[in-house]
Amino acid sequence: MADGVGFEVYLQVLMAPVDGVCLARRVALITDTDVPPGAEEPARLQALRALPGTWASPGALHLAAAPRTLEPALWAPHNAAALRAAFLLCAPRSEDWWEQVLAAVEVVNASRRR
């Protein structure tokens, strides 16, 4: 999972073939558009979709774009168990790290309530 911007670098690492082989055969990129309803999608999304073709990648890119930023919905309290399960599936020995992340989120939330 790559967080933030600069998807191009991550996509290149995963999808650009070296000696005809790439690390990922299928990549799902989930992002947001932050455009008003009914507006055209940003040009950056079209550019991201085109990247695998510029590398002659044998992999497939699926780009899913939400109209608004996804983070608030992902961190909603009712998603906590699913997020924890997904994190531990990707990093099974990292439960301590997960607990540190939750503690940090609690500190930030407490400071916002003041």
Side-chain angles (χ1 to χ4, degrees), residues 53-108:
T54 65
W55 303 313
S57 177
L61 172 65
H62 175 75
L63 194 148
R68 289 175 300 285
T69 300
L70 299 170
E71 288 85 352
L74 286 173
W75 282 103
H78 63 275
N79 287 337
L83 288 172
R84 180 181 180 278
F87 178 82
L88 293 177
L89 184 65
C90 294
R93 295 179 291 218
S94 298
E95 186 153 0
D96 290 343
W97 178 246
W98 178 255
E99 297 303 325
Q100 290 174 24
V101 169
L102 286 184
V105 169
E106 286 301 316
V107 168
V108 169

Side-chain angles (χ1 to χ4, degrees), residues 23-46:
L23 291 176
R25 301 292 279 170
R26 293 178 288 171
V27 174
L29 190 154
I30 304 168
T31 189
D32 51 64
T33 62
D34 288 330
V35 297
E40 289 186 31
E41 74 176 18
R44 67 181 175 86
L45 298 184
Q46 296 166 6

